[in-house]
């Protein structure tokens, strides 16, 4: 498909060209009623990860989307273009999703013991350096009343697992075959095996697809963008059918009591009350552990210093304020 005429749009840009797996061209919308964007033409290129640093350094691209380059690539560019490299904590929530229908993972005391076994501080430092940080909740920079901290304690983990009679059990760890994912996998497997849980690596093309299809019979190494206003089902490890979370599903994590809180949040009349209930639900995830939180990934962006107005923080969807971007004189 190649589109060569502007598409109807009320926004500041219209797509004027689309070449699959190659590029998308957007140009200022002449029908837009607001102030026209400073950058009149934006071209989004699809470039292989291996070629991105070269394309940036030669001026072929002015900015890369978050995490398009690896941490190692960003640091290589940083050696010569320090002012163009941005490495910082992000809102990418990295976690292990337990299959709650699994005979072991459907038990809260075992999920808690597994989380105690993982040295998340070492994981964050090893994989992301000083830009990584431990995740306790699915949303960064949030600690609502009632949230529970699970400390790294391999001795207590081993004791709890022994008491549950599962020392020597084998768990599948489902993951993608990418550099960061493999590093995270190595750290997690090392810690679990140190407390007596054997692990089996299962590689899949997309953990997102597995999460949507359900039933992975183990631990799913997954990542979601943190969003405090997301539907509660997103962080409660619920099945997903026909584009909706299945709130009728029950587990030892998502109980009738939790569902009642979800219903109160959904029917709250005032925004302030809805925010309180969302915070209560997020805090409850640290107690019920529908997912095992690991870290917030480090975000990597290469950006020409003359390009300004693009940085609205890691919790804002990249490019959502594209019409405010501009090049300094």
């Amino acid at each position: 498909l190649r589109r060569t005429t502007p598409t109807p749009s009320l926004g500041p840009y219209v797509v004027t060209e689309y070449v699959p797996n190659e590029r998308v061209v957007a140009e200022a919308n002449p029908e837009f009623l607001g102030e026209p964007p400073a950058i009149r033409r934006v071209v989004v290129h699809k470039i292989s990860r291996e070629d991105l640093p070269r394309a940036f350094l030669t001026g072929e691209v002015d900015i890369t989307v978050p995490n398009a380059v690896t941490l190692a690539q960003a640091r290589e560019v940083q050696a010569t273009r320090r002012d163009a490299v941005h490495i910082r904590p992000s809102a990418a929530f990295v976690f292990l999703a337990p299959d709650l229908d699994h005979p072991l993972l459907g038990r809260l005391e075992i999920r808690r013991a597994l989380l105690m076994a993982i040295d998340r501080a070492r994981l964050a430092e090893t994989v992301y350096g000083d830009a990584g940080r431990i995740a306790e909740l699915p949303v960064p920079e949030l600690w609502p009343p009632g949230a529970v901290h699970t400390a790294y304690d391999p001795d207590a983990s081993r004791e709890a697992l022994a008491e549950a009679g599962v020392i020597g059990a084998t768990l599948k760890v489902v993951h993608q075959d990418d550099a960061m994912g493999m590093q995270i996998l190595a750290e997690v497997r090392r810690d679990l095996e140190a407390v007596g849980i054997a692990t089996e690596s299962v590689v899949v093309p997309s953990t997102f697809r597995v999460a949507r299809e359900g039933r992975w019979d183990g631990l799913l190494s997954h990542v979601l963008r943190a969003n405090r206003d997301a539907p509660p089902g997103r962080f409660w490890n619920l099945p997903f059918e026909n584009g909706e979370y299945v709130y009728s599903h029950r587990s030892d994590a998502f109980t009738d009591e939790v569902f009642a809180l979800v219903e109160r949040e959904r029917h709250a009349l005032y925004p302030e009350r809805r925010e309180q209930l969302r915070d209560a639900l997020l805090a409850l995830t640290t107690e019920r552990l529908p997912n095992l939180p690991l870290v917030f990934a480090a975000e990597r962006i290469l950006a020409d210093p003359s390009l300004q107005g693009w940085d609205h923080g890691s919790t804002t969807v990249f490019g959502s304020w594209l019409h405010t971007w501009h090049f300094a004189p």
Side-chain angles (χ1 to χ4, degrees), residues 245-314:
Y245 293 103
V246 183
Y247 287 99
S248 60
H249 184 81
R250 294 292 179 268
S251 65
D252 80 327
F254 195 76
T255 61
D256 287 340
E257 291 76 15
V258 176
F259 175 70
L261 194 59
V262 169
E263 284 293 279
R264 288 169 61 191
E265 184 272 339
R266 190 164 70 91
H267 292 98
L269 295 178
Y270 301 102
E272 296 82 0
R273 181 55 178 158
R274 183 172 292 112
E275 289 180 4
Q276 289 177 346
L277 291 168
R278 283 178 178 171
D279 283 353
L281 282 164
L282 288 169
L284 201 53
T285 65
T286 66
E287 177 186 324
R288 307 302 304 170
L289 294 180
N291 296 304
L292 307 184
L294 296 178
V295 295
F296 288 104
E299 183 175 77
R300 294 89 59 191
I301 297 174
L302 308 181
D304 189 304
S306 66
L307 179 60
Q308 299 179 6
W310 61 268
D311 188 1
H312 290 268
S314 61

Side-chain angles (χ1 to χ4, degrees), residues 34-82:
E35 184 177 347
I39 299 176
R40 309 292 291 176
R41 187 171 189 267
V42 177
V43 183
V44 182
H45 296 278
K46 182 174 181 180
I47 300 175
S48 70
R49 174 165 283 176
E50 293 73 20
D51 286 341
L52 261 181
R54 175 205 56 78
F56 178 76
L57 292 172
T58 58
E60 184 179 342
V61 297
D62 298 297
I63 190 169
T64 63
V65 299
N67 305 330
V69 295
T70 66
L71 191 58
Q73 287 175 318
R75 285 175 173 157
E76 287 177 7
V77 175
Q78 196 173 43
T80 55
R81 294 286 306 278
R82 176 170 291 276

Side-chain angles (χ1 to χ4, degrees), residues 41-256:
R41 187 171 189 267
V42 177
V43 183
V44 182
H45 296 278
K46 182 174 181 180
I47 300 175
S48 70
R49 174 165 283 176
E50 293 73 20
D51 286 341
L52 261 181
R54 175 205 56 78
F56 178 76
L57 292 172
T58 58
E60 184 179 342
V61 297
D62 298 297
I63 190 169
T64 63
V65 299
N67 305 330
V69 295
T70 66
L71 191 58
Q73 287 175 318
R75 285 175 173 157
E76 287 177 7
V77 175
Q78 196 173 43
T80 55
R81 294 286 306 278
R82 176 170 291 276
D83 60 345
V85 178
H86 302 263
I87 303 174
R88 61 189 183 183
S90 76
F93 175 53
V94 181
F95 61 98
L96 295 174
D99 186 336
L100 296 175
D101 291 327
H102 188 284
L104 299 185
L105 299 174
R107 297 163 59 184
L108 175 58
E109 71 273 17
I110 292 178
R111 297 198 300 276
R112 177 79 61 191
L114 294 177
L115 186 57
M116 287 192 295
I118 301 171
D119 188 347
R120 291 178 286 169
R122 190 198 68 235
L123 189 157
E125 172 65 26
T126 300
V127 179
Y128 298 111
D130 56 7
R133 57 182 167 180
I134 294 175
E136 295 282 4
L137 290 142
V139 179
E141 300 174 1
L142 181 69
W143 192 256
V148 177
H149 169 64
T150 299
Y152 169 56
D153 192 337
D155 293 334
S157 171
R158 194 178 298 106
E159 182 180 342
L161 293 169
E163 185 176 338
V166 297
I167 294 291
T170 299
L171 287 177
K172 293 179 182 178
V173 183
V174 183
H175 62 96
Q176 292 182 187
D177 187 14
D178 59 78
M180 293 296 181
M182 294 302 292
Q183 280 187 283
I184 291 170
L185 174 71
E187 297 296 317
V188 168
R189 294 184 73 181
R190 183 175 94 171
D191 285 343
L192 294 185
E193 291 174 3
V195 297
I197 299 296
T199 57
E200 176 189 347
S201 170
V202 179
V203 180
V204 295
S206 169
T207 58
F208 183 83
R209 179 175 297 174
V210 171
R212 284 290 185 259
E213 293 174 351
R215 289 311 305 267
W216 47 91
D217 195 32
L219 294 166
L220 179 68
S221 180
H222 197 30
V223 59
L224 287 173
R225 184 176 181 80
N227 183 348
R228 184 171 177 271
D229 297 329
R234 185 176 190 184
F235 301 128
W236 279 94
N237 200 351
L238 293 178
F240 197 80
E241 293 180 3
N242 301 319
E244 299 288 342
Y245 293 103
V246 183
Y247 287 99
S248 60
H249 184 81
R250 294 292 179 268
S251 65
D252 80 327
F254 195 76
T255 61
D256 287 340

